[in-house]
Tab-separated table of all heavy atoms in Angstrom:
chain	number	residue	atom	x	y	z
A	718	ALA	N	15.113	-0.503	-2.245
A	718	ALA	CA	14.383	-1.290	-1.244
A	718	ALA	C	13.207	-0.545	-0.643
A	718	ALA	O	12.251	-1.174	-0.164
A	718	ALA	CB	15.341	-1.736	-0.141
A	722	ARG	N	9.635	-2.061	0.781
A	722	ARG	CA	9.168	-1.900	2.169
A	722	ARG	C	7.767	-1.315	2.206
A	722	ARG	O	6.917	-1.755	2.992
A	722	ARG	CB	10.119	-1.001	2.961
A	722	ARG	CG	11.387	-1.672	3.430
A	722	ARG	CD	12.083	-0.846	4.510
A	722	ARG	NE	12.454	0.481	4.039
A	722	ARG	CZ	13.581	0.773	3.409
A	722	ARG	NH1	14.444	-0.192	3.138
A	722	ARG	NH2	13.854	2.008	3.042
A	743	TYR	N	7.386	5.647	14.586
A	743	TYR	CA	8.800	5.312	14.399
A	743	TYR	C	9.470	6.348	13.498
A	743	TYR	O	10.552	6.862	13.813
A	743	TYR	CB	8.924	3.909	13.795
A	743	TYR	CG	10.351	3.506	13.497
A	743	TYR	CD1	11.164	2.976	14.491
A	743	TYR	CD2	10.888	3.656	12.219
A	743	TYR	CE1	12.486	2.612	14.224
A	743	TYR	CE2	12.194	3.296	11.943
A	743	TYR	CZ	12.991	2.768	12.948
A	743	TYR	OH	14.294	2.415	12.670
A	782	ARG	N	5.778	-7.146	10.354
A	782	ARG	CA	6.221	-7.511	8.999
A	782	ARG	C	6.563	-8.987	8.913
A	782	ARG	O	6.200	-9.665	7.948
A	782	ARG	CB	7.444	-6.680	8.619
A	782	ARG	CG	7.167	-5.222	8.281
A	782	ARG	CD	8.483	-4.474	8.122
A	782	ARG	NE	8.303	-3.088	7.702
A	782	ARG	CZ	9.270	-2.190	7.720
A	782	ARG	NH1	10.495	-2.533	8.157
A	782	ARG	NH2	9.046	-0.957	7.307
A	809	ASP	N	14.631	-9.455	4.648
A	809	ASP	CA	16.065	-9.357	4.873
A	809	ASP	C	16.365	-8.060	5.624
A	809	ASP	O	15.699	-7.045	5.420
A	809	ASP	CB	16.805	-9.357	3.527
A	809	ASP	CG	18.306	-9.356	3.693
A	809	ASP	OD1	18.802	-10.072	4.584
A	809	ASP	OD2	18.990	-8.646	2.944
A	810	GLY	N	17.396	-8.084	6.460
A	810	GLY	CA	17.781	-6.865	7.154
A	810	GLY	C	17.626	-6.987	8.653
A	810	GLY	O	17.495	-8.084	9.203
A	811	TRP	N	17.582	-5.840	9.323
A	811	TRP	CA	17.574	-5.819	10.785
A	811	TRP	C	16.384	-6.576	11.352
A	811	TRP	O	15.267	-6.511	10.833
A	811	TRP	CB	17.530	-4.371	11.280
A	811	TRP	CG	17.570	-4.287	12.782
A	811	TRP	CD1	18.670	-4.191	13.573
A	811	TRP	CD2	16.448	-4.342	13.672
A	811	TRP	NE1	18.309	-4.173	14.897
A	811	TRP	CE2	16.954	-4.263	14.991
A	811	TRP	CE3	15.069	-4.453	13.493
A	811	TRP	CZ2	16.142	-4.279	16.110
A	811	TRP	CZ3	14.246	-4.477	14.604
A	811	TRP	CH2	14.778	-4.391	15.902
A	834	ARG	N	22.199	10.142	9.011
A	834	ARG	CA	20.975	9.344	8.996
A	834	ARG	C	21.150	8.146	9.924
A	834	ARG	O	22.261	7.806	10.315
A	834	ARG	CB	20.632	8.870	7.587
A	834	ARG	CG	21.669	7.943	6.972
A	834	ARG	CD	21.348	7.669	5.510
A	834	ARG	NE	22.210	6.667	4.922
A	834	ARG	CZ	23.424	6.880	4.456
A	834	ARG	NH1	23.943	8.094	4.515
A	834	ARG	NH2	24.138	5.901	3.935
A	835	THR	N	20.043	7.502	10.262
A	835	THR	CA	20.074	6.332	11.138
A	835	THR	C	20.353	5.089	10.306
A	835	THR	O	19.637	4.807	9.333
A	835	THR	CB	18.741	6.186	11.887
A	835	THR	OG1	18.512	7.383	12.659
A	835	THR	CG2	18.754	4.984	12.818
A	836	LEU	N	21.361	4.333	10.700
A	836	LEU	CA	21.832	3.208	9.884
A	836	LEU	C	21.403	1.846	10.416
A	836	LEU	O	21.753	0.826	9.813
A	836	LEU	CB	23.358	3.257	9.766
A	836	LEU	CG	23.911	4.499	9.053
A	836	LEU	CD1	25.430	4.497	9.074
A	836	LEU	CD2	23.399	4.559	7.616
A	837	ALA	N	20.675	1.794	11.512
A	837	ALA	CA	20.200	0.517	12.049
A	837	ALA	C	18.726	0.627	12.382
A	837	ALA	O	18.279	1.632	12.933
A	837	ALA	CB	20.992	0.128	13.295
A	838	GLY	N	17.977	-0.388	12.028
A	838	GLY	CA	16.559	-0.402	12.350
A	838	GLY	C	15.722	-0.991	11.237
A	838	GLY	O	16.236	-1.300	10.144
A	839	PRO	N	14.425	-1.163	11.458
A	839	PRO	CA	13.563	-1.790	10.456
A	839	PRO	C	13.379	-0.970	9.190
A	839	PRO	O	12.916	-1.499	8.181
A	839	PRO	CB	12.238	-1.972	11.203
A	839	PRO	CG	12.273	-0.958	12.299
A	839	PRO	CD	13.699	-0.853	12.704
A	840	HIS	N	13.744	0.311	9.217
A	840	HIS	CA	13.655	1.125	8.003
A	840	HIS	C	14.729	0.738	6.988
A	840	HIS	O	14.744	1.267	5.874
A	840	HIS	CB	13.784	2.612	8.352
A	840	HIS	CG	15.110	2.982	8.936
A	840	HIS	ND1	15.471	2.660	10.219
A	840	HIS	CD2	16.176	3.645	8.399
A	840	HIS	CE1	16.703	3.090	10.456
A	840	HIS	NE2	17.157	3.695	9.365
A	841	ARG	N	15.605	-0.202	7.345
A	841	ARG	CA	16.639	-0.677	6.433
A	841	ARG	C	16.325	-2.072	5.890
A	841	ARG	O	17.143	-2.661	5.191
A	841	ARG	CB	17.982	-0.730	7.169
A	841	ARG	CG	18.394	0.557	7.851
A	841	ARG	CD	19.022	1.526	6.905
A	841	ARG	NE	20.344	1.073	6.479
A	841	ARG	CZ	21.114	1.726	5.612
A	841	ARG	NH1	20.663	2.860	5.084
A	841	ARG	NH2	22.300	1.270	5.285
A	842	ALA	N	15.154	-2.588	6.188
A	842	ALA	CA	14.790	-3.939	5.760
A	842	ALA	C	14.446	-3.976	4.277
A	842	ALA	O	14.185	-2.957	3.644
A	842	ALA	CB	13.613	-4.440	6.591
A	843	ASP	N	14.430	-5.185	3.724
A	843	ASP	CA	14.098	-5.369	2.314
A	843	ASP	C	13.266	-6.647	2.162
A	843	ASP	O	13.509	-7.642	2.857
A	843	ASP	CB	15.371	-5.473	1.474
A	843	ASP	CG	15.113	-5.323	-0.025
A	843	ASP	OD1	13.944	-5.104	-0.417
A	843	ASP	OD2	16.077	-5.435	-0.804
Side-chain angles (χ1 to χ4, degrees):
R722 282 195 300 274
Y743 177 83
R782 286 172 176 168
D809 184 41
W811 182 90
R834 63 188 187 278
T835 301
L836 297 176
H840 64 286
R841 306 278 290 178
D843 194 2

